[in-house]
Amino acid sequence: MSNISKKAKIGKNVKCGYCVKIADNVVIENNVTIGDYSLIGYSNEKKNSKKLLIKKGTKINSHSIIYENSEIGENSLIGHRVLIREKTIIENNVQIGSFSDIEGSCKISSYAKLHSNVHVGQNSLIMSYAWIFPYVILTNDPIPPSYIRKGPIIEPFAIVCTGSTVLPGKKIGFGSFVGANSLVNIDLKPEMLGTGNPFIIRGNINKIKIPNTKKNAYPWILRFQKDYPKNAKEIYLNLRKKYL
Amino acid sequence: MSNISKKAKIGKNVKCGYCVKIADNVVIENNVTIGDYSLIGYSNEKKNSKKLLIKKGTKINSHSIIYENSEIGENSLIGHRVLIREKTIIENNVQIGSFSDIEGSCKISSYAKLHSNVHVGQNSLIMSYAWIFPYVILTNDPIPPSYIRKGPIIEPFAIVCTGSTVLPGKKIGFGSFVGANSLVNIDLKPEMLGTGNPFIIRGNINKIKIPNTKKNAYPWILRFQKDYPKNAKEIYLNLRKKYL
Amino acid sequence: MSNISKKAKIGKNVKCGYCVKIADNVVIENNVTIGDYSLIGYSNEKKNSKKLLIKKGTKINSHSIIYENSEIGENSLIGHRVLIREKTIIENNVQIGSFSDIEGSCKISSYAKLHSNVHVGQNSLIMSYAWIFPYVILTNDPIPPSYIRKGPIIEPFAIVCTGSTVLPGKKIGFGSFVGANSLVNIDLKPEMLGTGNPFIIRGNINKIKIPNTKKNAYPWILRFQKDYPKNAKEIYLNLRKKYL
């Protein structure tokens, strides 16, 4: 029992859950799964908006809300009760955890992973292979309230740990590491480690060791490749030349 | 396909979304919009409770839950998956962001704005024109767990930035500014600036400048009036005489 | 109008709300209440999974999601829009607040109480009579991302206040107290007080007094027994001999 607009374009082998609502302005490619109680292509009463495109192989879990005028790439995984607003571009193979709040007008690049309950303010840029952990907040207004929307930039392979807030426009560098519960009020350069509130740069990421060993824990892609393409390490090493 | 009690009093031009449930003890005035999958007038098995009143022109977005024995004023905007418990008084022209958790027995005055994922503990008071940013938590129990419920007071035009926690009974003064990720454990006087954990008072709000200028960013109402009444500046200046 | 599998085993006097979905692999005992829009026994496309068991007298509020291969004890109370993943063991008389995110492979023991919006990472252990306040995060990966899942241990009668993050594997001792917005990066011994980011141990819990008195506020069970068994104080005093 669902409510699927006849104007929506739905591909082959699309699985729609219970009590799903799909609005007019939606294109869903083949092999997509839409979870129960999800609201797909929600329109905020604006006219002539662009469509919502959900590309092939993507799975959206239950109780999620996705606005029109957005795009979700192939083989992505969207958690339970996620909210994705207008003008969000999500590339392929992205994961967005349950309870996350993607405020729109932002881009999340391929192979980026957001854990549960991440808040992405407008005009944020999350680049490929970045990891954002639970309750991280990307803010965008330096003098709230204002008309300014200057989101953070999370460069490829960067790690932002649980409970951290990134202040407007701050750049988390390539392969860098932000510790838990940090308040990031300055840019963090590539492969550097920063923690705390106030935020303090602690040195190179090689300071962090694998527990009970003397081995470097970072760059993480050299020891953890689950669900990534086979050449992810080489992608890291090639990008490293560009960023460092 | 909705589930609307015949005992509920529903005004003219009320738009009800898909899979909406409206319980008996509800009065909805004209021109209200109720989003999909919302549960309106939820009763926690108590008897003889007061009704839920939703005044004219208010919009409630999808997946929201509003208990009976509350009141939501005119032309207010309630986000997606908001939870509002019993004995909440929301005045006119209030905005409450998605994922917010209003625990009941509290008051949110006219033109106050809560962004996403704000937690308002019982007995909190949020006054007119206050701004509460994402993941702010208003607590109420000084020796948890206890029977004490002593909520914070957020005075008019005050700003509480993202990720801050306000401890029980603390007062955020008129037009003051609490920086991101603060732990507010003392009162903040009107038009003062405080930040951090531990919380430190940094001086007058005129320390904060508009980026790349030498102009004061605060009082914010002097530079930002979007969606406010035309006389909002005068309201500020008049209240200023009272509070300072 | 609900969607209840005929393969599910449903006891007597089970109240099912509006638009509830109950999957095949579910056993619900007598006198259970399932709130509107809840998804019970969700399967992540795995085969031959164990069932979800919800024991007698438990209430699950609206918009909740509970995976199969979990167990929820008797007379427990699950809030609105809670997410409970696979391999979660919840014992009897547990409370889990709205918006909480229980990531699975964890145990929450009898009479533990989680307030709203608590995040419990995999392999966490929350023991009896513990209290976890809003926006507390129990993390489990010391070098994220990795395959390690080493959750915190919250010992009986411990208090973790609002907005705190507990780092992987840290132990919050019996009857101890973690202040709001702490980042717990070391173990806290029984009946000790710790606060802050960085986390600092402040001494014995007897430093915290009931407001406007010279009486000790902790151990809390000596002054607050709402909804607990009559012998809760004795349980505390007996366990105290073991832990201290």
Side-chain angles (χ1 to χ4, degrees), chain A residues 177 193 204-219 223, chain C residues 141-144 146 148:
Chain A
F177 184 99
L193 162 66
N204 189 277
I205 52 168
N206 62 24
K207 285 197 166 180
I208 312 172
K209 304 299 178 188
I210 295 174
N212 309 315
T213 76
K214 293 180 177 177
K215 290 182 186 170
N216 290 341
Y218 298 89
R223 60 171 171 81
Chain C
D141 186 351
I143 49 167
S146 81
I148 305 170

Side-chain angles (χ1 to χ4, degrees), chain A residues 79-90:
Chain A
H80 298 280
R81 47 178 124 267
V82 171
L83 173 61
I84 298 176
R85 291 183 180 274
E86 304 97 334
K87 299 187 186 173
T88 297
I89 303 296
I90 294 175

Side-chain angles (χ1 to χ4, degrees), chain A residues 77-80 82 95-101 114-118:
Chain A
L77 180 58
I78 310 297
H80 298 280
V82 171
Q95 289 186 17
I96 296 184
S98 298
F99 296 90
S100 288
D101 179 7
L114 283 63
H115 209 288
S116 306
N117 219 317
V118 170

Side-chain angles (χ1 to χ4, degrees), chain A residues 19 37 42 67 117 144-145 165, chain B residues 37 61 63 80 135 181 218 223:
Chain A
C19 288
Y37 315 102
Y42 180 70
Y67 277 60
N117 219 317
T165 296
Chain B
Y37 316 101
N61 267 310
H63 300 81
H80 298 279
Y135 292 79
N181 282 26
Y218 297 89
R223 60 173 172 79

Side-chain angles (χ1 to χ4, degrees), chain B residues 19 42 63 67 117 144-145 165, chain C residues 37 80-81 135 181 218 223:
Chain B
C19 288
Y42 179 71
H63 300 81
Y67 278 58
N117 219 317
T165 297
Chain C
Y37 315 102
H80 298 280
R81 47 178 124 268
Y135 291 81
N181 282 27
Y218 298 89
R223 59 173 172 78

Side-chain angles (χ1 to χ4, degrees), chain C residues 3-243:
Chain C
N3 181 345
I4 297 171
S5 166
K6 289 180 181 173
K7 293 182 183 169
K9 294 180 186 167
I10 314 269
K12 294 178 188 170
N13 192 30
V14 168
K15 295 181 194 165
C16 263
Y18 175 63
C19 288
V20 164
K21 180 174 175 181
I22 298 178
D24 297 349
N25 202 13
V26 174
V27 176
I28 299 179
E29 294 187 353
N30 298 342
N31 302 312
V32 163
T33 300
I34 307 286
D36 311 301
Y37 315 102
S38 285
L39 176 50
I40 305 299
Y42 180 70
S43 168
N44 208 352
E45 302 178 30
K46 290 166 190 166
K47 291 181 184 173
N48 302 319
S49 178
K50 291 185 184 171
K51 66 193 173 202
L52 166 64
L53 170 62
I54 302 176
K55 293 190 179 172
K56 62 185 176 185
T58 279
K59 179 174 182 179
I60 292 163
N61 267 308
S62 76
H63 299 83
S64 285
I65 302 159
I66 305 182
Y67 279 58
E68 59 180 8
N69 196 1
S70 282
E71 187 175 318
I72 301 182
E74 299 175 11
N75 299 311
S76 290
L77 179 58
I78 310 298
H80 298 280
R81 47 178 124 268
V82 171
L83 174 60
I84 298 176
R85 292 182 181 272
E86 303 98 336
K87 299 187 187 173
T88 297
I89 303 297
I90 295 175
E91 294 188 343
N92 299 343
N93 300 287
V94 165
Q95 287 186 18
I96 296 184
S98 297
F99 295 91
S100 288
D101 179 6
I102 313 300
E103 293 272 301
S105 298
C106 62
K107 184 176 175 184
I108 304 176
S109 300
S110 60
Y111 290 103
K113 296 195 184 184
L114 283 62
H115 210 289
S116 307
N117 219 316
V118 170
H119 179 94
V120 178
Q122 291 177 11
N123 287 0
S124 298
L125 172 60
I126 299 174
M127 298 177 77
S128 291
Y129 295 91
W131 269 93
I132 315 283
F133 286 92
Y135 291 81
V136 165
I137 306 169
L138 305 186
T139 67
N140 58 21
D141 186 351
I143 49 167
S146 81
Y147 300 99
I148 305 170
R149 292 290 176 273
K150 196 177 177 185
I153 297 170
I154 315 297
E155 289 188 345
F157 293 95
I159 303 287
V160 185
C161 287
T162 298
S164 289
T165 296
V166 184
L167 291 180
K170 299 310 164 197
K171 187 185 286 185
I172 308 295
F174 170 81
S176 64
F177 184 100
V178 173
N181 282 27
S182 297
L183 177 63
V184 184
N185 62 348
I186 48 173
D187 289 353
L188 185 61
K189 288 188 178 165
E191 293 195 352
M192 294 295 278
L193 162 66
T195 68
N197 175 9
F199 190 67
I200 294 171
I201 295 172
R202 309 285 177 180
N204 189 277
I205 52 168
N206 62 23
K207 285 196 166 180
I208 312 172
K209 304 299 180 188
I210 296 173
N212 309 315
T213 76
K214 294 181 177 175
K215 290 182 186 170
N216 290 342
Y218 298 89
W220 59 268
I221 193 68
L222 304 184
R223 59 173 172 78
F224 183 88
Q225 296 93 29
K226 188 177 173 244
D227 301 332
Y228 291 109
K230 284 182 180 171
N231 64 338
K233 287 186 204 180
E234 288 125 64
I235 290 171
Y236 185 89
L237 296 172
N238 283 328
L239 279 175
R240 194 176 189 278
K241 294 172 195 163
K242 176 185 164 191
Y243 280 101

Side-chain angles (χ1 to χ4, degrees), chain A residues 144-156:
Chain A
S146 81
Y147 300 99
I148 304 171
R149 292 290 176 272
K150 195 177 179 186
I153 298 171
I154 314 298
E155 289 188 344

Side-chain angles (χ1 to χ4, degrees), chain B residues 55-115:
Chain B
K55 292 190 180 171
K56 62 184 178 187
T58 279
K59 179 174 182 179
I60 291 162
N61 267 310
S62 76
H63 300 81
S64 285
I65 302 159
I66 306 181
Y67 278 58
E68 60 181 6
N69 196 2
S70 283
E71 187 175 317
I72 301 183
E74 300 174 9
N75 300 312
S76 289
L77 180 57
I78 310 298
H80 298 279
R81 48 177 125 266
V82 172
L83 173 61
I84 298 176
R85 291 181 180 273
E86 303 98 333
K87 299 186 186 174
T88 296
I89 303 297
I90 295 176
E91 293 188 345
N92 299 343
N93 299 288
V94 165
Q95 288 186 18
I96 296 184
S98 298
F99 296 88
S100 289
D101 179 7
I102 314 299
E103 293 272 299
S105 297
C106 63
K107 184 176 176 185
I108 303 176
S109 300
S110 60
Y111 290 105
K113 296 194 184 182
L114 282 62
H115 209 288

